[in-house]
Amino acid sequence: MTLIPYQADQFDRLALRFLDLAALFREIARRTRDERIEQVAVHDKKANEWIAKLEFWAEEARQRFELAAMRNLGAKKAKELLAENGTPNSE
């Protein structure tokens, strides 16, 4: 599997797609209650498998972000220390 670099706007677009799906299911739930429909038969096995995989993928993405954030913070702190103490002499 190839790692694809994501920027903030790509995560936003992905999140909005998930919100659109959530809104669709909330609308189905609301209308099911409003129209007093007891049940609606759906095939959910694959959807639940995909959701589990997405949850795993999202957690992996969060961990990759946390690692990148720590690296970024470390580099920033190193620059600040160098600026405060002057650049080390390489004699």
Side-chain angles (χ1 to χ4, degrees), residues 46-60:
K46 281 290 183 192
N48 283 315
E49 288 174 12
W50 294 337
I51 290 169
K53 288 179 183 181
L54 278 170
E55 288 169 337
F56 180 83
W57 179 84
E59 177 57 26
E60 183 181 49

Side-chain angles (χ1 to χ4, degrees), residues 39-80:
Q39 299 176 351
V40 177
V42 296
H43 296 285
D44 72 343
K45 184 177 178 182
K46 281 290 183 192
N48 283 315
E49 288 174 12
W50 294 337
I51 290 169
K53 288 179 183 181
L54 278 170
E55 288 169 337
F56 180 83
W57 179 84
E59 177 57 26
E60 183 181 49
R62 188 195 63 77
Q63 290 174 9
R64 288 180 183 275
F65 160 77
E66 293 295 343
L67 182 58
M70 282 189 274
R71 285 182 179 152
N72 193 46
L73 180 61
K76 182 180 172 184
K77 294 289 185 184
K79 275 185 177 180
E80 289 172 0

Side-chain angles (χ1 to χ4, degrees), residues 11-62:
F11 284 113
D12 281 338
R13 282 196 301 272
L14 189 60
L16 289 173
R17 290 178 69 187
F18 292 136
L19 286 173
D20 288 345
L21 283 172
L24 181 142
F25 288 120
R26 293 297 306 267
E27 178 64 12
I28 291 170
R30 184 191 63 76
R31 291 192 61 207
T32 299
R33 279 189 289 278
D34 290 351
E35 297 179 25
R36 293 175 175 40
I37 297 173
E38 290 266 333
Q39 299 176 351
V40 177
V42 296
H43 296 285
D44 72 343
K45 184 177 178 182
K46 281 290 183 192
N48 283 315
E49 288 174 12
W50 294 337
I51 290 169
K53 288 179 183 181
L54 278 170
E55 288 169 337
F56 180 83
W57 179 84
E59 177 57 26
E60 183 181 49
R62 188 195 63 77

